[in-house]
Amino acid sequence: IPKWETETDRKIIKDLYSLSNEEFNVDHIIALNHELACGLHTPNNLQVIDGKMNSSKNNRMDLTELTLWPTCEWPRRKYEK
């Protein structure tokens, strides 16, 4: 666990994984290991997507999607009220 990871981060990640099942998977927006970039296992780099889409995505990244990448603030609002 990185020293900068907060308890809120861990709660968000846990909640995201609780949504995962046979139909939906937790996906890293920026791949953890890719020739162009290395993403982090943080809330703002995770999304829940259709499992078939996730499987077909493999380790490819669509860099045009980065403009849609959420800010670090979006998941925390629910937890830090």
Side-chain angles (χ1 to χ4, degrees):
I1 298 174
K3 289 183 180 183
W4 45 262
E5 184 179 85
T6 67
E7 183 63 32
T8 299
D9 291 331
R10 288 187 286 279
K11 286 179 184 175
I12 294 168
I13 292 169
K14 181 179 177 182
D15 280 357
L16 287 170
Y17 275 94
S18 75
L19 299 172
S20 182
N21 56 39
E22 289 182 24
E23 188 176 353
F24 294 99
N25 301 154
V26 176
D27 171 60
H28 291 88
I29 299 167
I30 305 294
L32 295 178
N33 187 10
H34 191 276
E35 63 184 20
L36 298 177
C38 293
L40 299 173
H41 190 70
T42 59
N44 60 323
N45 191 37
L46 296 173
Q47 61 184 346
V48 178
I49 63 172
D50 179 82
K52 290 179 185 176
M53 179 189 295
N54 193 27
S55 294
S56 68
K57 184 179 163 190
N58 201 0
N59 198 35
R60 291 187 305 272
M61 288 191 313
D62 180 358
L63 298 179
T64 61
E65 290 179 1
L66 294 183
T67 59
L68 303 175
W69 199 35
T71 68
C72 293
E73 296 301 315
W74 74 268
R76 287 180 177 74
R77 290 185 191 136
K78 173 182 170 185
Y79 295 88
E80 295 179 347
K81 290 185 178 181

